Amino acid sequence: FIAYNNISTMLKNMVLTGVLALGLTPLMIARGLDISFGSSISMVSVIMALLYSNAGINLWLVLLAGVAIAVLIGFINGLLIETFDLIPIILTLGMMAILQALALVIANTYANTYSILMLTDALYYFSTRTFLKIPYPLLVLIALIIVYWFILNKTKVGRTIYLIGANPTVAKLSGIKIKKVMVLLYTFMGLATGIGAVLIVSLTGVGMAYHGAKLPLPTLSAVLLGGISLMGGSGSVWGT
């Protein structure tokens, strides 16, 4: 029914997919692809929950460590793909399997379960409170939409991303360091994944080895249905 609570809940539930889709948008415009982010979220959420619940490490350090791990994974993806000229879907498919296996092993080894509680007042406050009746998680998504739109439409980096996607040969002849830009885009996808991991732990109160298992399909669907071609060079933040 058309009611504030229903609409608010629906929007809050789509924030995670929205954040990940935003991370994929510039990457796929530049002809990149990452399908390992779901497994990355699973592993990062498990590590954060273990560090907080089992090791008793400060919450903010735990969240920072989780985001840093996700960023590192994105950087490694980009570095391997660009250094060895690998097909993105092949590399990230392999990384997806590795990260999912690690999530399961880590959770089962150190907690004997696949779901680890991470209930904190700070995360609960963030996931349930609103500002001007807008849920905090949705404010994060709105802020990221503005940032990504500005980068793609108002900066030299954005024009470079579109040029690489439209014609890599011309981009290379124009003096653009394509590999450097692509590694940076994969790293930013890792950052979006890290933010997504923090969001999912905030919304659920647990770190779980299967948190991200079903995320790739709806996220990729959002990006592709939004008008971004697998061949690159076209698409927009608003489309996503």
Side-chain angles (χ1 to χ4, degrees):
F1 299 101
I2 299 178
Y4 165 74
N5 286 337
N6 287 340
I7 294 172
S8 175
T9 300
M10 289 172 64
L11 289 172
K12 193 161 69 173
N13 288 339
M14 79 167 206
V15 165
L16 179 60
T17 303
V19 169
L20 295 171
L22 280 174
L24 270 180
T25 295
L27 180 61
M28 290 184 65
I29 288 174
R31 298 196 183 191
L33 182 62
D34 185 358
I35 58 173
S36 68
F37 55 85
S39 296
S40 179
I41 282 180
S42 297
M43 190 184 78
V44 169
S45 74
V46 165
I47 291 174
M48 288 194 297
L50 281 172
L51 290 175
Y52 182 77
S53 301
N54 289 27
I57 297 175
N58 178 272
L59 174 63
W60 304 111
L61 288 178
V62 167
L63 297 180
L64 185 61
V67 173
I69 292 169
V71 169
L72 179 62
I73 291 169
F75 173 75
I76 291 171
N77 281 341
L79 193 64
L80 290 174
I81 289 168
E82 296 303 320
T83 300
F84 299 104
D85 198 23
L86 302 175
I87 300 172
I89 193 171
I90 300 296
L91 186 280
T92 55
L93 186 65
M95 186 63 78
M96 179 178 73
I98 292 169
L99 295 175
Q100 184 61 61
L102 284 173
L104 291 166
V105 170
I106 291 170
N108 198 42
T109 300
Y110 293 98
N112 294 317
T113 179
Y114 297 134
S115 181
I116 306 162
L117 283 177
M118 190 177 172
L119 295 173
T120 74
D121 291 339
L123 291 181
Y124 179 77
Y125 181 91
F126 170 76
S127 64
T128 56
R129 297 306 177 102
T130 63
F131 176 74
L132 299 177
K133 289 194 173 184
I134 302 174
Y136 281 177
L138 188 58
L139 289 174
V140 172
L141 178 60
I142 292 170
L144 288 174
I145 288 172
I146 293 170
V147 169
Y148 274 87
W149 174 85
F150 182 81
I151 290 173
L152 282 176
N153 292 275
K154 300 295 181 180
T155 67
K156 182 180 178 182
V157 173
R159 292 192 292 275
T160 299
I161 290 169
Y162 278 102
L163 178 57
I164 292 172
N167 196 320
T169 303
V170 170
K172 186 175 181 179
L173 292 174
S174 299
I176 295 172
K177 296 179 180 178
I178 296 177
K179 291 186 177 182
K180 183 178 179 180
V181 173
M182 292 305 296
V183 171
L184 185 64
L185 290 178
Y186 278 102
T187 304
F188 268 94
M189 181 61 208
L191 177 61
T193 303
I195 294 172
V198 173
L199 284 170
I200 202 167
V201 170
S202 301
L203 293 168
T204 62
V206 297
M208 189 166 67
Y210 290 107
H211 258 328
K214 296 181 180 180
L215 286 172
L217 182 58
T219 304
L220 286 166
S221 297
V223 176
L224 293 172
L225 292 174
I228 292 177
S229 170
L230 284 171
M231 299 306 295
S234 65
S236 68
V237 167
W238 296 122
T240 296

